[in-house]
């Protein structure tokens, strides 16, 4: 490993990439995978068949490049999101990670800075690094809260060109109030900052949690990013998308690779969207398991962050590494996100959730305070 690191260091790597670690959630062969917030309920059988039929029809035309404008997909995504959006407001790519990369390529780069508020999605600084964009870490209150005043003040003080707001936030699970978005948008007007609201987990939010999609009209620097990886159970298909002013999509056309969304990807996503109601049925069940985890952990005396997503961040763990390993030894993989005394777990099926709660209970000593 050190040997390999030495060899890497001898390569003419870009200076700003030196010393960075690649994204690296462990991919282990374990019976119960609750570590990367995938949809644990899979694609329902009838939707599977619809996807297979769509892919089969597409294979006949694989000698041709796909629709570079992925028009049908953009129309379907606009229809799914509602809020009066049309295909012109939509952009998509291979996962919302690529969508975010397109945004950084178009609006970031050398001499520009992105601002995020840790603990938040670990890919933001890596995507900034890869695109030569500076990255600044803002701060939250002790309980991971981000108030409109504090967020706006930090945006103005840094003069950031791009701001990442993650709502519901990964890894804390908590949704932001829309006041944070509007205040940050205003605070970014001097620097003409692009404000990204990453709503990867929006479908899992408690009923009545508003989406930043409602704020798009009249805000041409606001971008709402979504994904089919979580609620739609399609992490393996790699489809992420955003809604924004049409001119934002035009900016992203300048940096995407030609034909970046394969015909197979487009066919899969369109077939899934045609069955979105069926796919989203599992979301309600996942939310029930999420709430079971919150109740179970609270019963064990562990502090839990309020969750509007399909995962739960919990504290009160003296040695996260030991508990993480104990769960792994019992066949359950969860995530150590590097926050002292905390661990994160994805909501599983009912059976998986039961096993997780039972093993965890056996591993921790009850908090008697
Ligand atoms: C999982 C996740 C994504 C989704 O990434 P994809 O590339 O669409 O799979 C985006 N943002 C956050 C905060 C996530 O946790």
């Amino acid at each position: 490993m050190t040997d390999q690191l030495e060899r890497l260091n001898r390569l003419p790597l870009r200076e700003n990439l030196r010393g960075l670690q690649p994204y690296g959630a462990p991919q282990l062969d374990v019976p119960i995978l609750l570590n990367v917030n995938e949809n644990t309920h899979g694609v329902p059988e009838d939707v599977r068949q619809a996807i297979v039929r769509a892919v089969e029809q597409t294979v006949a035309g694989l000698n041709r490049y796909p629709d570079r404008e992925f028009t049908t997909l953009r129309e379907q995504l606009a229809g799914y999101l509602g809020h009066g959006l049309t295909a012109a407001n939509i952009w998509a790519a291979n996962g919302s990670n690529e969508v975010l990369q397109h945004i950084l390529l178009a609006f970031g780069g050398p001499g520009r800075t992105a601002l995020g508020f840790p603990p938040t999605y670990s890919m933001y600084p890596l995507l900034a690094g890869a695109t030569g964009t500076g990255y600044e870490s803002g701060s939250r209150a002790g309980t991971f809260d981000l108030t409109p005043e504090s967020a706006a003040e930090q945006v103005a003080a840094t003069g950031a060109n791009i701001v990442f707001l993650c709502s519901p936030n990964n890894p804390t699970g908590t949704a932001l109030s829309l006041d944070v978005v509007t205040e940050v948008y205003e605070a970014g007007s001097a620097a003409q900052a692009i404000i990204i609201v990453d709503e990867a987990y929006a479908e899992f939010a408690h009923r009545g949690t508003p989406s930043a999609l409602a704020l798009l009209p009249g805000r041409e620097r606001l971008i709402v990013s979504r994904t089919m990886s979580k609620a739609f159970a399609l992490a393996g298909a790699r489809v992420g998308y955003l809604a924004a002013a049409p001119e934002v999509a035009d900016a992203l056309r300048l940096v995407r690779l030609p034909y970046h969304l394969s015909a197979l990807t487009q066919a899969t996503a369109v077939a899934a969207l045609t069955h979105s109601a069926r796919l989203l049925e599992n979301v309600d069940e996942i939310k029930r398991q999420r709430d079971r985890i919150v109740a179970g952990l609270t019963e064990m005396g562990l502090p839990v962050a309020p969750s509007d997503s399909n995962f739960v961040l919990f504290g009160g763990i003296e040695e996260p590494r030991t508990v993480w390993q104990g769960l792994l030894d019992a066949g359950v993989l969860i995530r150590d996100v590097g926050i002292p005394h905390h661990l994160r777990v994805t909501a599983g099926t009912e059976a998986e959730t039961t096993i997780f709660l039972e093993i965890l209970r056996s591993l921790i000593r009850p908090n008697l305070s």
Side-chain angles (χ1 to χ4, degrees):
M1 191 60 205
T2 14
D3 198 33
Q4 193 156 344
L5 192 63
E6 264 169 37
R7 284 202 297 256
L8 171 61
N9 281 333
R10 280 202 294 273
L11 286 175
L13 190 65
R14 274 164 39 201
E15 281 309 322
N16 69 319
L17 296 181
R18 287 193 186 276
L20 289 188
Q21 293 290 323
Y23 175 85
Q27 285 197 304
L28 303 176
D29 188 11
V30 170
I32 300 183
L33 294 169
L34 305 177
N35 68 326
V36 286
N37 303 338
E38 291 152 335
N39 186 315
T40 43
H41 286 57
V43 178
E45 181 58 28
D46 44 345
V47 185
R48 268 186 229 181
Q49 284 172 13
I51 291 174
V52 169
R53 280 194 300 275
V55 166
E56 192 169 24
Q57 281 167 16
T58 305
V59 169
L62 281 184
N63 57 315
R64 303 292 179 188
Y65 283 111
D67 174 10
R68 197 170 47 216
E69 284 294 313
F70 42 102
T71 312
T72 311
L73 177 58
R74 284 189 297 122
E75 285 166 359
Q76 295 258 357
L77 288 168
Y80 166 68
L81 290 179
H83 286 86
L85 296 164
T86 70
N89 298 106
I90 305 295
W91 186 251
N94 297 281
S96 50
N97 273 281
E98 192 182 53
V99 170
L100 297 175
Q101 188 186 55
H102 285 168
I103 298 170
L104 286 162
L105 284 170
F107 299 107
R112 296 196 174 185
T113 307
L115 171 68
F117 297 93
T120 192
Y121 190 38
S122 60
M123 279 305 299
Y124 301 152
L126 281 175
L127 288 163
T131 57
T133 312
Y135 186 82
E136 290 211 29
S137 291
S139 62
R140 293 172 183 256
T143 47
F144 309 132
D145 283 344
L146 189 60
T147 64
E149 299 73 32
S150 163
E153 195 188 325
Q154 296 181 63
V155 168
T158 55
N161 306 96
I162 296 173
V163 181
F164 290 105
L165 297 173
C166 190
S167 179
N169 185 46
N170 181 4
T172 57
T174 315
L176 288 173
S177 83
L178 289 193
D179 292 353
V180 176
V181 181
T182 52
E183 297 285 310
V184 160
Y185 190 87
E186 284 312 308
S189 34
Q192 282 214 299
I194 295 287
I195 313 300
I196 305 168
V197 185
D198 183 345
E199 293 192 348
Y201 301 97
E203 286 90 346
F204 299 102
H206 287 94
R207 230 169 276 283
T209 307
S211 162
L213 290 170
L215 301 176
L216 284 173
R219 291 188 178 86
E220 69 284 350
R221 294 178 286 106
L222 180 62
I223 297 176
V224 181
S225 154
R226 296 279 189 106
T227 182
M228 295 187 79
S229 294
K230 310 286 162 57
F232 280 87
L234 287 180
R238 313 303 302 127
V239 187
Y241 58 102
L242 63 73
E247 54 269 35
V248 169
D250 286 337
L252 304 183
R253 285 183 174 88
L254 300 172
V255 297
R256 61 102 179 273
L257 296 174
Y259 317 108
H260 68 291
L261 270 183
S262 89
L264 300 172
T265 305
Q266 293 183 43
T268 301
V270 167
L273 282 160
T274 316
H275 295 78
S276 57
R278 178 83 180 87
L279 269 167
L280 293 178
E281 278 172 20
N282 281 340
V283 166
D284 286 329
E285 170 56 16
I286 291 168
K287 286 163 77 172
R288 271 193 290 279
Q289 297 310 319
R290 181 262 325 271
D291 293 340
R292 257 187 86 208
I293 295 175
V294 170
L297 296 173
T298 306
E299 207 181 277
M300 291 179 221
L302 302 174
V304 179
S307 176
D308 288 293
S309 41
N310 67 337
F311 58 87
V312 178
L313 181 77
F314 57 99
I317 303 294
E318 224 153 283
E319 291 184 43
R321 208 64 207 172
T322 312
V323 173
W324 179 86
Q325 187 65 51
L327 281 157
L328 183 57
D329 293 343
V332 182
L333 180 61
I334 69 166
R335 190 79 180 273
D336 180 353
V337 289
I339 303 176
H341 308 300
H342 285 71
L343 287 167
R344 192 193 70 190
V345 63
T346 308
T349 61
E350 185 172 11
E352 289 173 338
T353 301
T354 302
I355 294 173
F356 160 72
L357 287 170
E358 279 173 4
I359 297 169
L360 181 67
R361 198 174 285 120
S362 74
L363 287 172
I364 60 158
R365 254 180 280 150
N367 182 344
L368 299 175
S369 64

